Amino acid sequence: MIDLVTLGESMALFTARRTGLLRHARDFGLGVGGAESNLAIGVSRLGRSAAWIGRVGADEFGELLRSTLSGEGVDVRGMIVDPEAPTGLMVKSRRTVELVDVRYYRSGSAGSRLRPADLDLTLIRSARVLHVTGITLALSASAAETVHAAVAEARAAGVTVSMDVNYRRALWSPDEASASLRKIVSSADVLFATEAEARLLVEGEDAAALADALSALGPRHVLVKRGPLGAVELSDGVVRHAEPYRVTELDPVGAGDAFAAGWLAETLEGATPERRLATACAAGAFAVTSDGDWESLPHRADLALLHPTDAVTR
């Protein structure tokens, strides 16, 4: 049995090493990124097993994805090499010190060609949690069909379904997203959304009201991520507020994936509601403390570092 299975597109990530207009960049770092694979790595680092299903190209970037995920302990048996399409690309830069710009080059990519026949149904049926995102729904018609097929399979097998809205405006309009997302949200047991993402689906004056409205759509657990303001969780009718950790932010990308990974990992551990929410916030805080989409995701031993007794570890 695997603890968590997720599916979607992961891409090669080029990060400009200088701040300013991308046209002036000459040096780039090479890595990987993708909401679902970020989450799988986060869950793995916190001691639970995770598997990722998706397509990559028959290229060096695809091999980079395989070696990176497997090196982080993620099960990649569901990774399919597509000989007819390339691995997608992301380019990340800083226009200013405070503003991060991410551009995607994924049209016609291997990941966008994901289809229901790619699913390892045995893997999904044996999981404790299936995690999906709105990104995969927006990639293509076949990718959306794959999400629906995976969710249907999970529900039939009694597997918990987790959903992160993860709205990407470059992929679809708010109206398109709202209609498509509602179909999955109604089948989800756990839902993650920012306040802005929540308002694509419901109305509410504040995070608690939004959580209540989202819960009415079906999810048993709703988590509204508020970034530097913390988070609100509504689970089984009980509202909990989490205060943020105060850290120096270097790169905000991946914080939401880290938050969800922390909450799901603790849920798989059987942790108390208070602990799972605290770990989710801690993981999100760690994610922004260095460059990279997943590199700062914490291991369990790291969580204590947010309460240091000394600025120097010797």
Side-chain angles (χ1 to χ4, degrees):
M1 177 179 287
I2 199 102
D3 287 323
L4 180 141
V5 174
T6 187
L7 62 140
E9 180 175 32
S10 291
M11 294 161 284
L13 170 61
F14 286 89
T15 303
R17 290 199 167 111
R18 72 181 304 277
T19 300
L21 290 169
L22 187 61
R23 73 188 72 161
H24 300 308
R26 297 296 180 268
D27 298 317
F28 292 82
L30 174 61
V32 302
E36 300 84 7
S37 56
N38 292 344
L39 180 133
I41 291 172
V43 168
S44 178
R45 285 192 173 185
L46 289 171
R48 308 309 307 189
S49 57
W52 179 82
I53 296 172
R55 283 186 173 229
V56 299
D59 48 39
E60 282 297 299
F61 297 140
E63 286 302 315
L64 175 62
L65 281 161
R66 180 186 296 277
S67 62
T68 300
L69 293 180
S70 60
E72 287 294 328
V74 176
D75 187 322
V76 293
R77 79 183 84 167
M79 179 182 287
I80 295 169
V81 177
D82 188 334
E84 299 178 358
T87 302
L89 301 179
M90 286 192 290
V91 179
K92 184 162 66 173
S93 63
R94 286 185 179 274
R95 181 63 184 88
T96 67
V97 173
E98 290 83 17
L99 180 62
V100 176
D101 181 63
V102 182
R103 302 297 174 110
Y104 301 94
Y105 299 87
R106 67 202 318 175
S107 178
S109 66
S112 69
R113 287 156 57 92
L114 190 67
R115 58 193 183 203
D118 295 338
L119 294 173
D120 184 331
L121 299 182
T122 300
L123 188 61
I124 292 173
R125 294 181 194 126
S126 67
R128 294 174 61 190
V129 175
L130 170 73
H131 180 77
V132 298
T133 77
I135 298 172
T136 315
L137 283 173
L139 288 179
S140 66
S142 67
E145 289 173 12
T146 306
V147 173
H148 285 283
V151 169
E153 195 67 34
R155 293 200 64 82
V159 176
T160 296
V161 175
S162 169
M163 168 75 181
D164 194 327
V165 173
N166 258 330
Y167 175 68
R168 297 290 185 268
R169 62 183 180 183
L171 293 175
W172 53 358
S173 71
D175 289 341
E176 290 174 317
S178 178
S180 182
L181 287 166
R182 279 179 169 271
K183 297 176 183 178
I184 296 296
V185 168
S186 64
S187 297
D189 301 291
V190 182
L191 179 66
F192 299 92
T194 65
E195 290 183 80
E197 289 169 343
R199 289 191 169 93
L200 290 173
L201 301 168
V202 296
E203 296 181 353
E205 294 184 1
D206 55 24
L210 289 167
D212 186 58
L214 289 171
S215 180
L217 299 180
R220 176 182 170 188
H221 307 282
V222 174
L223 293 105
V224 178
K225 301 172 288 185
R226 307 186 67 212
L229 298 179
V232 171
E233 175 180 350
L234 174 58
S235 289
D236 299 323
V238 178
V239 178
R240 295 178 176 86
H241 296 263
E243 295 299 318
Y245 288 89
R246 301 300 177 185
V247 296
T248 300
E249 180 182 297
L250 294 181
D251 186 349
V253 178
D257 306 327
F259 179 94
W263 194 91
L264 291 168
E266 291 291 36
T267 299
L268 289 162
E269 287 280 347
T272 63
E274 292 75 18
R275 178 177 163 186
R276 69 192 181 199
L277 187 54
T279 298
C281 288
F286 260 101
V288 306
T289 57
S290 73
D291 292 326
D293 285 23
W294 57 268
E295 286 82 348
S296 288
L297 293 172
H299 296 82
R300 285 214 168 266
D302 296 327
L303 296 176
L305 297 177
L306 290 178
H307 306 283
T309 56
D310 197 329
V312 179
T313 300
R314 300 182 189 274

